[in-house]
Amino acid sequence: MQTHPPNLIPSRLAKRSHYDHETICSILDEALFCTISYSVDNRPFSIPTSFVRYEDKIYIHGSVGSHFIREIEKGITVCISIMLTDELVVAKSAFSHSVNYRSVTIFSQAEKMEDIETKKAAFEWLTNKIVPNSWEYLRPMTESEVKKTTALAFSFEEAVAKTRSGMPNDEKEDLELPIWSGLIPIPTQRLAPVADEWSKNIPLPQHLI
């Protein structure tokens, strides 16, 4: 029987948990943002940020002067959470309403990227995730910009995914009630780009079409 660290065992609906690498990576690759939570002097902090997965680590970046970055780069344990919402689950009673979702929770410690080339690679991976195929199109980062930015990596060896899918789970005695129940899809989608005043006469690049 496979065992997992206590803080990765959900207190409810454990059957929705997944520990396999493929499920976890699929969620990490689709999500653009995560929330990193940590504690300093018994005070809780929770910061949303963009991230990218490359092989078996996820990477974030931030200013070298950021209080958030300077605290977690010390190697304290953080909790990283990611959630993708797919559908609102509308039941025949408010008690049975739910959400179809895919989430990942990670417990990890930051590894600071000291090598300049590794930092640049992490910035490229993240940039191309947020705006696919854009890195080569953009003005290259200067050495000064690279030095002013910290790149941190986190292993996700200690991670669990949790998901829900399907229709409402109404109580048996509610099924015949004349109340509508079902799913309301809430897809995340990218719409047409909108140029700023300096770019109105510049053709939209191919990677944004």
Side-chain angles (χ1 to χ4, degrees), residues 11 61 80 89 100 104 124 129 139 143 148-149 159 161 180 184 203:
S11 60
H61 78 292
I80 304 172
V89 181
N100 284 339
V104 172
E124 180 178 354
K129 180 184 183 182
R139 187 266 289 165
E143 293 299 318
K148 291 178 181 177
T149 309
W180 187 92
I184 301 177

Side-chain angles (χ1 to χ4, degrees), residues 1-175:
M1 180 177 178
Q2 189 177 16
T3 60
H4 304 286
N7 52 8
L8 289 181
I9 301 176
S11 60
R12 296 190 67 251
L13 299 174
K15 64 182 180 180
R16 294 181 181 171
S17 300
H18 307 273
Y19 298 90
D20 63 286
H21 189 264
E22 182 178 357
T23 298
I24 290 170
C25 286
S26 68
I27 297 170
L28 295 179
D29 290 348
E30 183 173 342
L32 297 179
F33 307 101
C34 68
T35 298
I36 300 182
S37 302
Y38 60 101
S39 176
V40 177
D41 298 328
N42 291 321
R43 295 180 61 199
F45 295 86
S46 191
I47 308 294
T49 187
S50 56
F51 78 98
V52 64
R53 178 189 73 88
Y54 184 78
E55 296 182 343
D56 290 333
K57 293 182 180 179
I58 65 173
Y59 295 81
I60 69 166
H61 78 292
S63 168
V64 296
S66 163
H67 177 269
F68 158 58
I69 292 293
R70 292 171 66 179
E71 285 295 337
I72 66 174
E73 73 179 14
K74 297 175 183 177
I76 62 176
T77 298
V78 301
C79 177
I80 304 172
S81 58
I82 298 101
M83 181 175 179
L84 299 169
T85 54
D86 298 314
E87 295 153 324
L88 301 177
V89 181
V90 181
K92 295 182 184 296
S93 72
F95 180 79
S96 296
H97 280 8
S98 188
V99 176
N100 284 339
Y101 68 94
R102 291 161 290 146
S103 69
V104 172
T105 301
I106 300 167
F107 291 91
S108 190
Q109 297 81 36
E111 174 190 353
K112 187 176 181 180
M113 301 291 97
E114 301 286 2
D115 178 70
I116 294 294
E117 294 307 314
T118 304
K119 286 177 66 175
K120 287 181 178 179
F123 300 151
E124 180 178 354
W125 301 329
L126 180 57
T127 300
N128 280 337
K129 180 184 183 182
I130 301 300
V131 184
N133 303 312
S134 64
W135 181 260
E136 294 298 331
Y137 174 80
L138 301 171
R139 187 266 289 165
M141 289 184 70
T142 66
E143 293 299 318
S144 175
E145 290 171 336
V146 174
K147 291 177 180 178
K148 291 178 181 177
T149 309
T150 297
L152 300 178
F154 299 86
S155 166
F156 54 93
E157 291 180 358
E158 193 174 346
V160 59
K162 195 173 181 183
T163 65
R164 187 202 189 280
S165 61
M167 288 293 179
N169 294 321
D170 278 303
E171 299 296 333
K172 187 175 181 180
E173 60 270 23
D174 291 341
L175 294 177

